[in-house]
Amino acid sequence: MAETPLTDRIGPERKPPGLAEYRRAGGYKAVDKALRHLSPEDVRNQVTESNLRGRGGAGFPTGKKWSFVPQGDDAPTPKYLVVNADEMEPGTFKDRLLLEGDPHQMIEAVILSAYAIGASQAYIFLRGEYVTAARVLRQAIAEAKDAGLLGHRIRDTDFSLELHLHMSAGRYICGEETALLSALEGRRALPRTKPPYPQAAGLWGYPTVVNNVETLCNVPHIVAHGGDWFQSLSHTDDGGTKIYGVSGRVRKPGLWELPMGTTAREIIEEHAGGMRDGYRFRGLLPGGASTDFIVAEHLDLPLDFSGLSKAGSRLGTGTMIILDDHTCPVGMCLNMERFFAQESCGWCTPCRDGLPLVTATLAAIEAGRGRPEDLDLLEQHTRLLGMGNTFCAHAPGAMEPLQSALKHFRDDFEQHIREGRCPYR
Amino acid sequence: MLTEQEHEVLAQELERYPDRRAASIDCLVRLQESRGGWLSDETLADLAPVLDMSVHELDALATFYNRLNRRPVGRHLIRVCDSVSCWIMGSDAVCAVLRERLGIDLGCTTPDGRFTLLPTQCLGACERAPVLSIDDKQYTDLRADDLDAILADHD
């Protein structure tokens, strides 16, 4: 049986472990080990050697992200660690499992990561809708404070850390790390120009690291067992396990912690129970709405950060959305583009004006009023709103499902236009 | 005017940040809770001096964030997820039944002030789609038949 360090203490009918239970299961041992025997640099090195990459969608190597934080006596202080728990990517529900199921794992991860980069202040930026996670986290933070795991001079060392919970008032763009910092400062969640990167000048201008929930939850296990062990959990070069998810018309939608690099075929057929009776697989979005569709011929590719580039897609959040043969691909794109248009922060013109135009064009095609030249217009926009032409990655992400749908499901678009109706209704 | 209790609540929020503006979004959320679920001009005017911000700056936030309401809402806020996983699993049908039963469109409040019906972005329960929440309590694996009983639970 493969190891599942992130979800060992989480079960469907199980209450989240309190401090005592978490400790009995070996929890906070990594904190004791790091604070007593490892320097912050040792922890950073371990994370770098583990090949941990960001689980929030972009897949940036975590150790490398941390390496840009100024260190030494003349580094600006305070430094901040921010947990991106603003899980709003459509079809994504993995961080919720970790937050609700094992809050002390999250807190231990924060302590170790803050220690590694030298942060004295940490925020968990949590979706406003995640009220259960908020309740569970508040209780766990209070327990950790009472036990001297948070606060002044943790475990009688020189290391001090305050951990605060911020409930978001809700906007998808808050998941973009610089927009998230704007929101934490009490502003509209507008992305910021990079450089400077947050590691150099983040929250209130101080060095800041923003990491996703699942990414950080790996850190206690890396510190406890080492980078080599972490690498050995994976089928590929990207270290660790991954929490994969499936939603859509499969028999058993859900989440599973599996070796990084597991194939979509294994996840769908063995874990999600295959397609529901009467439904056929047509394609899937590997990791949320802002990833490119892959189709049947790609099902045996390893789902890791490099494997999907062969299929013109990317891992994203690793929670896949299945398109079945009773669901209209044009309607599905329309649903997602409408979401992206609504959630655009409005700061840059291509995104603010381009996404509504794309949405209106798709709506016309879906309603049977499409013209042949609309497909050229859509294709043109997948380039005009692509990376490099917009202020942040919001619109380029929005174009990923559309550009791949135009490629893989072109017949459906053409049929809508030719017949002047949606053939799925 | 802010009540004494509201002052206390705002003070708790201010504690967690190094400056006042940073607490603005949390303060708006808390005042919305204590004032019937929405932010009136008067509420913004009450809060502005506490944060040393202008009313217009607060309005810029209140009109940006999805969970802040600038218009009155009903006693219960129904949020129907219309994101992609729920859409595949039939959220349009759920929404149509709700509109028919309540006699209102999305974004509207029933004349008796009981319900406000809003669409919402992915609620992160995609394995149990379609999903809606009422006052942040989630109802999952929805079927059109379930909706009457769910509505009846809310006075």
Side-chain angles (χ1 to χ4, degrees):
Chain A
M1 200 52 195
E3 288 183 79
T4 54
L6 296 176
T7 55
D8 270 347
R9 290 166 302 279
I10 302 176
E13 303 301 323
R14 222 166 134 180
K15 279 175 37 180
L19 180 60
E21 190 188 340
Y22 182 72
R23 274 215 167 111
R24 276 198 299 278
Y28 289 115
K29 278 200 182 129
V31 165
D32 288 329
K33 178 180 172 185
L35 296 194
R36 300 241 163 83
H37 306 297
L38 301 175
S39 69
E41 193 182 359
D42 292 335
V43 179
R44 293 199 301 274
N45 287 341
Q46 274 190 324
V47 169
T48 303
E49 284 158 18
S50 73
N51 284 333
L52 172 65
R53 292 176 65 170
R55 276 27 175 180
F60 196 79
T62 307
K64 194 169 179 191
K65 192 174 208 178
W66 292 4
S67 74
F68 300 127
V69 177
Q71 300 295 339
D73 293 339
D74 52 357
T77 55
K79 295 184 216 170
Y80 293 95
L81 174 73
V82 179
V83 183
N84 188 343
D86 189 47
E87 185 164 67
M88 275 189 82
E89 181 67 33
T92 300
F93 47 109
K94 66 184 182 68
D95 293 339
R96 174 190 189 128
L97 176 82
L98 294 171
L99 295 165
E100 290 181 357
D102 201 357
H104 280 289
Q105 175 172 257
M106 182 78 258
I107 295 170
E108 183 171 18
V110 168
I111 298 168
L112 289 165
S113 307
Y115 178 70
I117 62 167
S120 59
Q121 297 286 329
Y123 288 93
I124 298 176
F125 188 97
L126 182 66
R127 271 203 78 170
E129 286 79 6
Y130 279 11
V131 288
T132 304
R135 194 185 68 236
V136 165
L137 279 169
R138 283 203 179 100
Q139 193 180 349
I141 290 170
E143 276 185 313
K145 263 187 198 157
D146 287 346
L149 288 157
L150 289 170
H152 190 55
R153 295 182 59 84
I154 294 169
R155 290 287 204 244
D156 296 320
T157 63
D158 289 337
F159 178 60
S160 299
L161 177 68
E162 300 288 338
L163 173 58
H164 311 281
L165 183 65
H166 172 91
M167 295 291 278
S168 175
R171 258 328 257 267
Y172 173 71
I173 197 65
C174 292
E176 200 278 345
E177 65 176 13
T178 62
L180 185 154
L181 298 179
S182 300
L184 258 184
E185 291 180 3
R187 302 168 194 280
R188 281 187 168 213
L190 306 182
R192 302 174 176 182
T193 315
K194 295 193 265 193
Y197 287 87
Q199 294 95 319
L203 264 183
W204 299 289
Y206 290 96
T208 303
V209 163
V210 184
N211 281 134
N212 164 262
V213 169
E214 185 187 354
T215 311
L216 288 176
C217 285
N218 283 296
V219 173
H221 307 289
I222 293 170
V223 171
H225 306 294
D228 288 342
W229 166 85
F230 189 73
Q231 182 61 62
S232 76
L233 299 175
S234 164
H235 286 334
T236 69
D237 290 341
D238 301 328
T241 60
K242 177 77 193 78
I243 300 181
Y244 293 104
V246 180
S247 65
R249 287 199 171 103
V250 291
R251 285 205 184 86
K252 292 183 294 179
L255 294 167
W256 306 273
E257 183 181 7
L258 299 168
M260 177 66 86
T262 303
T263 64
R265 187 185 304 284
E266 180 188 327
I267 295 167
I268 295 168
E269 288 176 5
E270 290 179 28
H271 303 285
M275 298 299 290
R276 287 191 187 185
D277 290 336
Y279 293 95
R280 228 166 32 84
F281 172 87
R282 283 204 73 199
L284 65 84
L285 300 166
S290 57
T291 54
D292 284 87
F293 279 98
I294 62 171
V295 291
E297 67 189 84
H298 306 128
L299 285 175
D300 294 312
L301 291 174
L303 292 179
D304 69 357
F305 293 105
S306 52
L308 284 172
S309 61
K310 292 185 194 78
S313 189
R314 60 193 182 94
L315 180 62
T317 62
T319 42
M320 62 185 80
I321 307 163
I322 309 283
L323 170 67
D324 61 79
D325 64 337
H326 291 242
T327 298
C328 174
V330 178
M332 186 168 167
C333 285
L334 170 60
N335 173 279
M336 291 185 284
E337 297 311 328
R338 187 174 278 149
F339 166 85
F340 286 115
Q342 280 172 356
E343 292 298 318
S344 167
C345 79
W347 178 251
C348 75
T349 312
C351 180
R352 181 185 62 233
D353 289 351
L355 289 174
L357 179 64
V358 165
T359 304
T361 308
L362 284 167
I365 297 173
E366 179 65 0
R369 288 181 279 105
R371 302 160 306 171
E373 57 268 33
D374 286 343
L375 295 185
D376 296 333
L377 183 89
L378 290 175
E379 248 164 17
Q380 198 184 14
H381 276 77
T382 62
R383 292 188 296 274
L384 289 172
L385 300 185
M387 205 59 97
N389 294 330
T390 59
F391 194 72
C392 80
H394 179 86
M399 291 300 99
E400 291 184 28
L402 179 61
Q403 71 193 9
S404 48
L406 285 167
K407 188 165 107 197
H408 297 305
F409 312 117
R410 184 129 199 136
D411 290 350
D412 288 275
F413 284 84
E414 287 171 351
Q415 191 184 354
H416 277 72
I417 293 169
R418 199 171 54 242
E419 297 180 6
R421 67 183 189 97
C422 172
Y424 292 84
R425 287 178 210 237
Chain B
M1 275 243 304
L2 293 169
T3 65
E4 208 161 298
Q5 204 180 356
E6 284 173 336
H7 270 295
E8 273 171 36
V9 166
L10 298 184
Q12 288 167 16
E13 300 300 328
L14 283 160
E15 246 173 43
R16 287 180 289 127
Y17 300 94
D19 74 12
R20 286 174 172 263
R21 172 189 293 273
S24 58
I25 296 166
D26 303 77
C27 289
L28 288 167
V29 169
R30 298 303 295 273
L31 283 185
Q32 177 168 284
E33 281 166 10
S34 69
R35 296 188 175 190
W38 71 290
L39 297 163
S40 65
D41 292 350
E42 189 197 343
T43 300
L44 298 188
D46 287 347
L47 179 60
V50 178
L51 300 175
D52 203 13
M53 288 169 70
S54 73
V55 170
H56 307 291
E57 286 175 301
L58 289 177
D59 196 30
L61 298 174
T63 53
F64 185 84
Y65 289 100
N66 296 331
R67 291 174 62 82
L68 299 175
N69 303 314
R70 272 297 261 134
R71 279 188 287 168
V73 294
R75 290 195 296 285
H76 302 291
L77 210 54
I78 307 177
R79 290 193 175 92
V80 190
C81 176
D82 64 358
S83 290
V84 61
S85 299
C86 281
W87 176 80
I88 290 172
M89 301 306 287
S91 62
D92 279 353
V94 168
C95 214
V97 171
L98 285 172
R99 284 159 63 179
E100 192 259 323
R101 291 289 196 282
L102 300 173
I104 53 172
D105 215 334
L106 287 170
C108 298
T109 300
T110 53
D112 61 1
R114 189 169 159 217
F115 291 111
T116 296
L117 182 62
L118 296 173
T120 189
Q121 300 76 7
C122 183
L123 288 169
C126 319
E127 82 281 31
R128 288 165 286 160
V131 185
L132 65 77
S133 75
I134 302 185
D135 307 332
D136 282 330
K137 178 176 161 40
Q138 283 198 357
Y139 297 86
T140 57
D141 291 313
L142 291 172
R143 290 167 312 153
D145 303 348
D146 304 335
L147 295 171
D148 286 328
I150 293 171
L151 292 177
D153 270 349
H154 296 81
D155 286 335

